[in-house]
Amino acid sequence: MSHPPVEQRGAWRALADHADEIGQRHLRDFFTDQQGRFATFSRQAAGLTLDLSKQRWNETTLSLLLELARDAGVPNAIRGLLAGERLNLSENRPALHTALRLPADARLDVEGEDLVTSVHATLDRMASMVERFHSGQWRGATGKPIRDVVNLGVGGSDLGPLMVTHALADYRPEGVHRIDVHFASTMDGSQLADYLSRLNPETTLFVLSSKSFTTIDTMTNARTARDWLKARLLGGDREEGVDEALVMRQHFVGVSASPEKMREWGIADEHQLEFWEWVGGRYSLWGGIGLPIALVVGMQNFRELLAGAHDMDRHFSEAEMSDNLPVLLALAGIWNVNFLDIRAHSILPYDGRLEYFAAYLEQLEMESNGKSVNHDGEPVGYSTCPVLWGQLGPNAQHAFYQLLHQGTQSVECDFIAPRVRYDDVADPATRDHLMSQHRLTLSNCFAQSRALMLGDAALEDEGPRPGHKRYAGNQPSSTLLLDRLTPRTLGALVALYEHKVFVQATIWDINPFDQWGVELGKTLAGETQRILEHQAGLDGMDDSTRGLIEAVWAAESREPE
Ligand SMILES: O=P(O)(O)OC[C@H]1O[C@H](O)[C@H](O)[C@@H](O)[C@@H]1O
């Protein structure tokens, strides 16, 4: 179907004119001009409150943006996503992460396949694995219960489970055999080497998490882990009956979309968790890739996480666009990037449990929407995904907030915090202290978004100040409050961002579900490795890379000091 490029449509042009009118206005003036902005620009759903009143917009802006979304076919795209249409055109498949969190009594048939049954069969398999770990029945080759699980995976096979296990560490079930979960992602083996120096091979199991089961980072770590186990558990005066097959069976679980490759590598059939090509890596924490999460929080809490994401899916599919959290969050981003020319976006959680949330979103947003061609492969004539980065807000205040307050960049910020925390701590004195620490944290969160909005105007008039003490303000932000941080609200929060990314991609007419941009580097790394290993010559290599390679060779050939 041919349609005019988005920037030639009426709503886009109207927004550009509107931006000429109000784009120069200071954010604080929007508050002076309009009473009740919080009520006008905040919405609630699935245990989340989203306050968009500190965006540099007014009601006209929002209604034009909603028109743009309708023009770009967002309602139809949402329906198509949830129904399993093949929206991932470059790979000719649907993107059905939402199917992973459908309840067991739902029905979704896609191209003749009953997805709910397949999804729940995997969840049940996962549940029985978790049960074996938590009852101390999953034993290593020498008969001792597994105590440590190391997840070997990278990108989507690492960041989601890492983020969630950290966020929900308080939700460990009581009375079960404790499993400590660790994550090793980097190909240089730094994290893995550390674990191997501390962990007991008899009670350590590795989860090989890789959708493709070919990612060199993960497969290299896996080989190191396998040889470490074999060297320590086999041969010599080790216990009788411990053979390689037993080590492989008891110390490895595989999670992948390729059962053949798992089998080839030596993962026992009954210790494989399979997922589907229609689940993108960065959208995969909801299934087998979430095994480390379930090992920490238990299956019941894992199902709560899924239920929270499903709450958000329902909201996304049912709420009017003007009340739809993912749509509104997406539109705020579009307004900033495409009409106010703000191309940096900072993610700032005010809760230490969300330490890895920004890293997770960096992949979700930038790998999904860091694209510059549309669905027809033609270059787009507008900006897409902004540069997105972040850190725990309280720590970032002492690090990069200087740039937010006084730098030359306009930056959009997302502030994220739970409304209440620690009210369930048993000891009253500690509870009072910790609740007050949480209020201190919230005070900082709200003060920062206010300072970024108002700048100098936030201060009582103290007369003229030198340049280095002035604050321009005018930095837009969104604030997201979770009722409290639970498996359910965290599921909703993650799904909110997944859908935000999808809405923006729909408006930008790009495919958020592929990542061809990462391939070139992988190919060149292979070539470079052959040269570094002296298996290929330097011919044709550019001068900079040649110089770097020669520097390595020179260092390698030097006698160790
Ligand atoms: O799960 P895997 O197949 O090992 O892939 C791990 C990661 O690496 C790839 O290069 C992609 O950029 C990511 O989207 C993916 O999540």
Side-chain angles (χ1 to χ4, degrees):
M1 191 178 65
S2 109
H3 50 74
V6 66
E7 77 276 27
Q8 286 172 24
R9 298 205 199 130
W12 185 282
R13 292 219 212 107
L15 277 159
D17 291 343
H18 177 65
D20 286 344
E21 250 171 65
I22 69 158
Q24 296 307 314
R25 200 184 291 172
H26 197 285
L27 183 47
R28 65 175 167 258
D29 298 333
F30 287 100
F31 279 80
T32 330
D33 294 354
Q34 186 187 9
Q35 301 301 305
R37 274 180 71 87
F38 182 82
T40 307
F41 291 110
S42 66
R43 301 284 186 281
Q44 293 193 320
L48 309 180
T49 301
L50 173 62
D51 171 23
L52 294 167
S53 60
K54 292 196 188 82
Q55 292 292 339
R56 277 161 54 187
W57 64 7
N58 59 24
E59 284 171 285
T60 309
T61 327
L62 186 52
S63 60
L64 288 171
L65 285 163
L66 287 165
E67 198 180 315
L68 177 72
R70 269 187 295 273
D71 240 28
V74 168
N76 199 33
I78 295 174
R79 192 199 45 71
L81 174 78
L82 300 175
E85 285 176 14
R86 295 185 172 230
L87 299 180
N88 178 354
L89 293 183
S90 75
E91 294 170 325
N92 187 29
R93 58 190 182 217
L96 269 165
H97 40 285
T98 50
L100 300 183
R101 51 236 191 182
L102 283 171
D105 59 1
R107 243 205 112 71
L108 179 66
D109 292 337
V110 175
E111 300 174 8
E113 198 190 335
D114 166 10
L115 296 192
V116 177
T117 302
S118 323
V119 162
H120 280 270
T122 303
L123 278 174
D124 292 344
R125 182 165 218 190
M126 199 168 149
S128 64
M129 284 183 173
V130 171
E131 170 58 28
R132 276 177 66 200
F133 281 102
H134 282 175
S135 60
Q137 289 308 310
W138 193 308
R139 294 173 189 278
T142 60
K144 296 184 181 157
I146 293 296
R147 171 96 187 53
D148 290 281
V149 168
V150 183
N151 188 74
L152 304 177
V154 70
S157 301
D158 170 64
L159 291 165
L162 173 68
M163 182 273 284
V164 176
T165 49
H166 200 81
L168 299 181
D170 298 346
Y171 283 85
R172 274 185 186 280
E174 278 172 26
V176 300
H177 172 73
R178 185 184 167 106
I179 303 290
D180 284 327
V181 171
H182 318 272
F183 292 85
S185 56
T186 64
M187 61 172 75
D188 69 352
S190 303
Q191 299 145 314
L192 183 63
D194 174 42
Y195 300 137
L196 300 189
S197 72
R198 302 193 270 121
L199 299 180
N200 177 357
E202 292 181 90
T203 54
T204 300
L205 176 140
F206 295 89
V207 178
L208 268 59
S209 286
S210 176
K211 180 179 173 185
S212 60
F213 228 71
T214 57
T215 303
I216 195 157
D217 319 50
T218 302
M219 301 323 288
T220 309
N221 276 330
R223 271 197 300 276
T224 304
R226 181 172 60 188
D227 289 348
W228 176 77
L229 285 172
K230 283 199 213 159
R232 278 158 187 77
L233 299 178
L234 299 176
D237 51 5
R238 296 291 162 182
E239 282 163 51
E240 273 183 37
V242 177
D243 61 14
E244 189 171 335
L246 188 66
V247 170
M248 291 304 292
R249 190 167 70 243
Q250 295 309 100
H251 292 266
F252 286 99
V253 167
V255 189
S256 176
S258 173
E260 305 77 40
K261 293 207 177 75
M262 286 196 271
R263 189 170 310 139
E264 214 173 283
W265 199 85
I267 306 280
D269 283 4
E270 62 276 25
H271 294 166
Q272 298 180 4
L273 283 173
E274 195 188 338
F275 67 110
W276 302 269
E277 285 297 344
W278 41 259
V279 179
R282 55 191 171 276
Y283 297 89
S284 64
L285 71 86
W286 316 103
I289 294 289
L291 178 66
I293 303 173
L295 286 175
V296 171
V297 303
M299 212 52 205
Q300 204 181 332
N301 283 321
F302 186 73
R303 290 185 197 271
E304 274 292 294
L305 180 81
L306 301 184
H310 181 65
D311 292 342
M312 185 53 69
D313 297 341
R314 286 190 52 185
H315 168 78
F316 187 46
S317 112
E318 290 166 10
E320 287 296 322
M321 290 223 293
S322 55
D323 288 324
N324 197 305
L325 266 60
V327 171
L328 294 170
L329 194 59
L331 293 178
I334 297 271
W335 174 241
N336 285 313
V337 170
N338 297 112
F339 300 98
L340 300 181
D341 204 24
I342 300 175
R343 300 173 194 198
H345 192 151
S346 198
I347 303 297
L348 304 163
Y350 277 71
D351 184 318
R353 296 171 294 180
L354 294 175
E355 181 166 3
Y356 297 105
F357 191 68
Y360 170 79
L361 276 194
E362 284 162 14
Q363 186 195 15
L364 179 65
E365 298 231 7
M366 295 199 282
E367 195 168 68
S368 297
N369 282 348
K371 312 281 165 70
S372 52
V373 297
N374 65 17
H375 275 110
D376 301 325
E378 302 294 333
V380 296
Y382 39 82
S383 295
T384 59
C385 189
V387 172
L388 185 130
W389 91 105
Q391 174 56 274
L392 286 178
N395 292 350
Q397 287 181 194
H398 301 280
F400 62 73
Y401 273 40
Q402 167 65 37
L403 178 145
L404 305 182
H405 288 294
Q406 290 187 321
T408 54
Q409 299 282 332
S410 287
V411 181
E412 178 185 10
C413 298
D414 287 7
F415 292 92
I416 304 170
R419 288 156 67 166
V420 63
R421 187 180 176 189
Y422 297 127
D423 52 336
D424 51 357
V425 170
D427 169 50
T430 315
R431 181 174 63 231
D432 286 352
H433 274 299
L434 288 174
M435 284 185 75
S436 135
Q437 284 195 252
H438 183 57
R439 284 191 294 269
L440 170 70
T441 308
L442 288 178
S443 309
N444 273 269
C445 177
F446 302 162
Q448 289 292 342
S449 66
R450 184 157 180 262
L452 287 167
M453 161 174 81
L454 296 173
D456 287 332
L459 297 168
E460 295 292 310
D461 193 14
E462 300 166 337
R465 263 171 294 132
H468 64 271
K469 289 193 175 173
R470 288 196 206 130
Y471 301 86
N474 206 26
Q475 299 278 39
S477 65
S478 308
T479 301
L480 253 166
L481 296 180
L482 290 76
D483 287 352
R484 55 178 69 236
L485 177 55
T486 63
R488 194 145 187 154
T489 58
L490 183 66
L493 178 72
V494 174
L496 164 66
Y497 277 96
E498 287 178 346
H499 296 326
K500 169 217 160 173
V501 163
F502 176 70
V503 171
Q504 292 190 330
T506 305
I507 293 173
W508 286 327
D509 193 25
I510 57 178
N511 181 357
F513 299 120
D514 62 8
Q515 58 284 322
W516 296 100
V518 304
E519 294 304 322
L520 175 63
K522 289 184 192 171
T523 307
L524 295 195
E527 278 176 31
T528 313
Q529 188 187 14
R530 282 190 291 283
I531 300 174
L532 263 179
E533 302 274 14
H534 302 281
Q535 292 157 3
L538 274 166
D539 294 350
M541 190 48 81
D542 68 84
D543 197 61
S544 165
T545 312
R546 173 190 292 260
L548 297 169
I549 289 172
E550 285 171 349
V552 173
W553 285 339
E556 283 183 344
S557 61
R558 217 175 285 145
E559 291 295 313
E561 285 166 23

